[in-house]
Amino acid sequence: MSRLIIRKVAVLGAGVMGAQIAAHCANADVPVILFDLPAKEGPANGVVDKAVASMKKLDPAPFAAKDRAQYIEAANYGTDLARLGECDLVIEAIAEKMEWKLDLYAKVAPHLKPGAVFASNTSGLSINALSAGMPAGARSRFCGIHFFNPPRYMPLVELIPTADTDPAMLDALEAWLTTRLGKSIVRAKDTPNFVANRVGVFSILAVLYHTQRLGLAFDEVDLLTGPRIGRPKSATFRTGDVVGLDTLAHVVGTMQATLPNDPWHAHFSTPAWLQALIAKGALGQKTKCGIYRKQGKQIQVLDLNLQDYRDSGGEVFPEVEAILKLKSPAEKFAQLAAHPHPQAQFLWSIFRDVFHYCAVHLGDIADNARDVDLAMRWGFGWAQGPFETWQAAGWREVAAMIQEDIDHGRAMSSVPLPPWVFERDGAHAPAGSFSAAENALKARAALPVYQRQLYPDRVLGEAPDDRGETLWENGGVRLWRRADLDARIGIVSIVSKMHAIGDEVMDGLLEAIARAEADLDGLVIWQPAPFAVGANLQQVGEACRAGQFDLLEKMVAKFQRASMSIKHAQVPVVAAVQGMALGGGCEFVMHAAHRVFALESYVGLVEAGVGLIPAGGGSKEFALQAHALALRAAGGDVFPYIQNAFQTIAMATVAKSALEAIQLGFGRAGDDVVFNAAEILYAGIRRARAMAESAWRPALVNPAVTVAGRNGIATCEMMLVNMAEGGFISAHDYRVAKAAATALCGGEVETNSRVSEQWILDVERAQFVELLKTEKTQQRIAHMLETGKPLRN
């Protein structure tokens, strides 16, 4: 397969989707020209300039680091179309109106670079109809490329070929999107709303129908259709507000207009109450009023019985709650179907109708059942796709229940389940997933890019990957390898709950490193997200209550030994990081010889939140960074480089991306940032091998680190005094922050004294244990264990 080289991207349309697609390309070091109409007033590129400026204020942030915005150039259709000739990929992302898109295509087509890929981000219009608006010679390079909102965070991209799309180009584009932008690809057929929106919008319509049929309240339904059934917290009606009620109505309207023969067509309409909200401009989150609204601090919800808003609340009926907690999916579904309470009937009904819809339409909308399930997981945040959920609950039993409801008129459509449903025991099997169009099991795509994904997302019933060989393990870690990839690079994985770092993890890590030094060429620390959430607070809290401070000091000393063993191992140790790496997890990351970050890595020293300071070497590592930077600076003063680290630790700052983690000093400029998290283990193993085969040498223990000493501590205290007097921090916050300053500055020594690494470790350990002895820190630890939230005392 030939490689697709994309040096520059153009995005047509600076609306919500277009601007954020541009931002994510900039995140991936791909320069972008972002086009829109010439502004009616002011600078010609004002529309784009405003869009980029607004993205800098959004949370969650489209930009992975603030400097990414500089890689987006503003342009307009009036004067800049010739610049399209600079771009290897052009993505159209204007409003969902066929005539507007075709008009734009006619204008831009003459300016496209020969061989450039042109793609539409349409969420549901016909890709073949759009292709007809392109010159005949360009149609082989045209396809649909449907990102989900927000493009940085949502993994799903649907690729939709036309009858003329070059298959080799599409394969190359899939590989580029997968690795460069970190996307999860589903090939969709050219049917209205494609795969995820077709199923997702139908699911919402089923919820709307059964909510009204059973007389349930909107907040009650959101309690039922969120995490309790493996869906996002925003559930259904809150999701409508977030997406925009006008957008939801538009997508429903697309189904109504383009699917006249669908057996469920009678349900493809927006309820009168929803039309009324849209008519008066209550469109959801973007207008601060929709199905929900905020009055002061109180969230209110629309109540159709009252014809007004009321305070949001609601509850799940206890017997229904008990059913939802059952571990057996088969028992859960059987009891929901049998229980007379409206909430139980509601839940069974929405699952039944989605199963029914997906079974009937599988052959029309998707290549196979796996693509449907993964599309719903990646695009809508479902924990399981519809076919997985059905199969887990007992395929044949649920099929019989669905058909019985169809026969008795209880389902939303009277069309029978297709014969293939009764001929199988499920949609997924070790050999592949069922394709209704081909009446066969289909294996996964075999593109070379997927060889980098050692453990991709799998669907229920798919064959597990058992190629990992355990070399040694204890209760905290597993040392293993993938001999098929590299038999002499070990992988050490933390296996404790949430990958918290307790005694067994530290003992296991020390042993794993010793074994790697003896028998292997390198080591990768990797486990699925989170990387590690820090020290085992349960162990720390219990020791505090028992007054075992000598034991705690020994525990911290062992933590430090574990960190130092990572740093000074005689083989390269690479940290492959995804998700949260907090507290002690961050310290392990900082001590690695190299880091391979997934873009969505959230790294920070958060000990201040429980009244402590970093004592696993994190303070020491920042002191070493300051020393190294000062050596390169003309003045040689370390304090300017301590100041940022002090603020980072005292404020418990967490990087919101891998790029920010490197900027904050949790990583280094030469570290790898991998956009597809499924590739970080592969990249980590390859990086460890490259280091082992190159001029890599283990870090030496630094015997002479220049520290800021007393003057540095005093300068940090001046900042704290101002914050305390302004009421921004409590007395205990002051004490914790001073302890952090003391550790960062090397203790109460003369400014610019030279001390060893071990000296700084001893200072941070002593400060940590002294804080543990305070009542307020013990209260903070207890509160965090009880509530999961920090205590301000």
Side-chain angles (χ1 to χ4, degrees):
M1 184 183 75
S2 60
R3 189 157 161 252
L4 187 64
I5 298 175
I6 297 178
R7 293 185 174 90
K8 185 178 285 188
V9 169
V11 178
L12 310 180
V16 171
M17 285 300 294
Q20 294 200 36
I21 291 168
H24 194 55
C25 289
N27 289 337
D29 298 320
V30 182
V32 185
I33 305 176
L34 180 58
F35 284 81
D36 211 296
L37 294 166
K40 294 178 180 178
E41 297 178 359
N45 295 331
V47 174
V48 175
D49 291 338
K50 184 178 179 181
V52 174
S54 69
M55 284 196 294
K56 295 177 183 178
K57 303 172 187 175
L58 291 180
D59 187 20
F63 292 114
K66 293 177 182 177
D67 67 348
R68 299 289 97 184
Q70 67 184 309
Y71 300 110
I72 298 178
E73 295 182 77
N76 70 82
Y77 305 130
T79 59
D80 301 321
L81 285 180
R83 296 205 62 196
L84 290 170
E86 303 171 26
C87 301
D88 305 293
L89 171 63
V90 179
I91 301 173
E92 171 268 304
I94 69 169
E96 290 289 274
K97 291 186 180 294
M98 179 70 74
E99 63 275 19
W100 290 6
K101 291 179 186 287
L102 294 176
D103 180 64
L104 181 62
Y105 293 4
K107 292 176 181 175
V108 303
H111 302 281
L112 295 177
K113 180 179 183 179
V117 176
F118 190 89
S120 175
N121 182 58
T122 177
S123 60
L125 296 178
S126 169
I127 299 299
N128 279 285
L130 290 170
S131 177
M134 297 292 293
R139 290 174 191 169
S140 67
R141 311 283 290 178
F142 181 82
C143 65
I145 182 173
H146 179 215
F147 289 81
F148 277 66
N149 190 27
R152 172 184 162 187
Y153 300 96
M154 295 301 291
L156 180 62
V157 168
E158 293 174 320
L159 271 186
I160 311 98
T162 72
D164 299 314
T165 302
D166 177 8
M169 182 279 290
L170 203 68
D171 287 349
L173 181 59
E174 179 169 348
W176 185 84
L177 289 164
T178 298
T179 289
R180 192 63 179 269
L181 296 192
K183 293 300 152 193
S184 300
I185 307 300
V186 164
R187 296 275 185 105
K189 297 185 178 184
D190 188 16
T191 56
N193 290 353
F194 311 129
V195 180
N197 276 346
R198 180 74 174 271
V199 175
V201 173
F202 176 78
S203 177
I204 292 170
L205 289 169
V207 169
L208 293 176
Y209 172 72
H210 292 298
T211 297
Q212 187 168 350
R213 180 177 71 85
L214 293 163
L216 301 182
F218 297 148
D219 50 348
E220 182 182 11
V221 167
D222 276 353
L223 287 174
L224 292 167
T225 58
R228 284 177 173 84
I229 61 169
R231 308 282 170 83
K233 288 182 182 178
S234 56
T236 302
F237 292 105
R238 285 186 190 278
T239 296
D241 273 356
V242 171
V243 169
L245 300 183
D246 53 338
T247 302
L248 175 60
H250 174 79
V251 178
V252 172
T254 298
M255 292 177 71
Q256 186 178 41
T258 57
L259 294 167
N261 299 319
D262 191 297
W264 284 264
H265 186 266
H267 299 284
F268 296 170
S269 61
T270 52
W273 61 265
L274 183 54
Q275 295 175 25
L277 285 177
I278 295 169
K280 68 178 186 180
L283 306 180
Q285 190 169 279
K286 58 189 172 186
T287 60
K288 303 189 186 306
C289 184
I291 297 169
Y292 291 89
R293 72 179 185 186
K294 194 170 184 180
Q295 292 289 95
K297 294 184 177 181
Q298 180 63 46
I299 302 295
Q300 295 189 322
V301 64
L302 180 65
D303 188 316
L304 295 183
N305 292 325
L306 298 175
Q307 292 291 298
D308 200 357
Y309 290 86
R310 59 165 172 79
D311 290 350
S312 178
E315 61 181 23
V316 176
F317 184 65
E319 291 180 22
V320 174
E321 187 79 89
I323 294 172
L324 291 174
K325 290 179 179 177
L326 292 171
K327 292 186 177 179
S328 165
E331 190 177 350
K332 186 184 301 184
F333 273 87
Q335 290 199 26
L336 285 174
H339 201 287
H341 194 278
Q343 291 183 356
Q345 287 301 300
F346 167 81
L347 287 169
W348 161 245
S349 297
I350 63 170
F351 277 109
R352 174 201 64 212
D353 290 326
V354 169
F355 295 163
H356 186 192
Y357 192 81
C358 290
V360 169
H361 286 300
L362 175 58
D364 305 329
I365 66 172
D367 180 65
N368 60 76
R370 179 180 53 253
D371 285 353
V372 173
D373 282 347
L374 291 178
M376 297 315 297
R377 282 160 56 174
W378 295 336
F380 277 74
W382 291 12
Q384 284 188 318
F387 290 114
E388 290 180 284
T389 307
W390 181 351
Q391 191 162 328
W395 183 267
R396 290 184 179 274
E397 293 79 5
V398 171
M401 292 161 61
I402 295 170
Q403 190 60 54
E404 183 181 356
D405 278 7
I406 295 168
D407 293 342
H408 289 84
R410 293 190 288 266
M412 289 172 68
S413 170
S414 61
V415 65
L417 285 170
W420 69 262
V421 169
F422 301 101
E423 296 165 0
R424 307 193 52 79
D425 290 321
H428 307 296
S433 295
F434 185 71
S435 169
E438 298 180 33
N439 193 31
L441 293 176
K442 298 291 290 289
R444 281 176 172 265
L447 295 180
V449 67
Y450 294 120
Q451 294 174 14
R452 298 171 56 86
Q453 298 186 10
L454 302 185
Y455 297 99
D457 286 343
R458 296 195 176 275
V459 292
L460 183 79
E462 192 173 4
D465 191 319
D466 56 1
R467 286 176 288 177
E469 176 192 352
T470 299
L471 302 176
W472 176 85
E473 62 186 331
N474 71 351
V477 305
R478 175 193 178 211
L479 175 64
W480 56 293
R481 66 183 173 190
R482 281 288 299 257
D484 59 313
L485 191 61
D486 195 321
R488 292 191 58 79
I489 299 297
I491 305 161
V492 60
S493 297
I494 299 172
V495 297
S496 57
K497 184 178 180 181
M498 290 294 288
H499 308 140
I501 302 166
D503 267 332
E504 285 188 311
V505 171
M506 291 183 279
D507 290 338
L509 193 58
L510 288 164
E511 178 67 20
I513 290 171
R515 287 173 178 262
E517 288 176 327
D519 301 321
L520 300 170
D521 297 337
L523 196 62
V524 178
I525 304 174
W526 173 85
Q527 51 275 334
F531 180 81
V533 295
N536 187 325
L537 276 184
Q538 193 71 47
Q539 288 182 1
V540 174
E542 289 171 0
C544 281
R545 288 192 293 275
Q548 297 173 319
F549 296 106
D550 289 345
L551 175 66
L552 284 165
E553 182 162 10
K554 291 177 182 176
M555 185 186 297
V556 178
K558 186 194 291 186
F559 208 129
Q560 293 178 336
R561 287 200 307 277
S563 293
M564 293 293 273
S565 73
I566 292 171
K567 182 172 184 177
H568 301 292
Q570 296 302 299
V571 294
V573 179
V574 174
V577 185
Q578 174 191 3
M580 294 183 293
L582 306 178
C586 175
E587 289 173 299
F588 282 174
V589 169
M590 293 176 74
H591 282 82
H594 193 87
R595 284 143 294 276
V596 175
F597 288 109
L599 177 69
E600 300 308 332
S601 296
Y602 310 112
V603 187
L605 296 170
V606 296
E607 289 84 351
V610 288
L612 294 169
I613 66 166
S619 304
K620 179 263 302 177
E621 281 299 297
F622 271 130
L624 287 177
Q625 288 180 31
H627 166 76
L629 289 166
L631 285 178
R632 294 198 288 269
D637 183 9
V638 297
F639 183 75
Y641 308 105
I642 287 293
Q643 193 167 357
N644 286 340
F646 171 65
Q647 291 177 335
T648 297
I649 291 175
M651 301 298 291
T653 302
V654 175
K656 293 182 179 179
S657 72
L659 302 182
E660 280 193 9
I662 292 168
Q663 291 173 351
L664 288 169
F666 301 130
R668 304 289 183 273
D671 289 336
D672 302 311
V673 177
V674 175
F675 272 54
N676 196 311
E679 297 181 359
I680 62 169
L681 178 56
Y682 176 93
I685 292 171
R686 293 302 195 202
R687 175 60 69 181
R689 169 52 60 198
M691 294 172 73
E693 297 292 339
S694 66
W696 176 86
R697 290 173 177 80
L700 294 172
V701 179
N702 196 325
V705 183
T706 303
V707 293
R710 293 190 185 94
N711 286 354
I713 298 169
T715 306
C716 290
E717 273 204 274
M718 289 172 58
M719 297 162 56
L720 295 174
V721 167
N722 292 334
M723 293 178 73
E725 289 180 351
F728 297 108
I729 60 173
S730 68
H732 195 59
D733 291 331
Y734 186 108
R735 179 167 183 175
V736 173
K738 184 181 177 183
T742 303
L744 284 167
C745 296
E748 295 283 353
V749 297
E750 293 299 321
T751 297
N752 293 327
S753 293
R754 287 176 173 261
V755 302
S756 67
E757 274 192 70
Q758 188 58 51
W759 172 276
I760 306 172
L761 287 169
D762 292 343
V763 171
E764 69 176 21
R765 185 174 70 253
Q767 293 294 321
F768 184 92
V769 174
E770 285 305 307
L771 286 170
L772 277 177
K773 293 177 181 178
T774 65
E775 181 183 5
K776 291 193 180 296
T777 286
Q778 292 175 22
Q779 289 172 349
R780 290 188 181 191
I781 292 171
H783 189 267
M784 179 63 75
L785 287 169
E786 289 170 11
T787 68
K789 297 178 181 178
L791 172 67
R792 177 88 185 275
N793 62 352

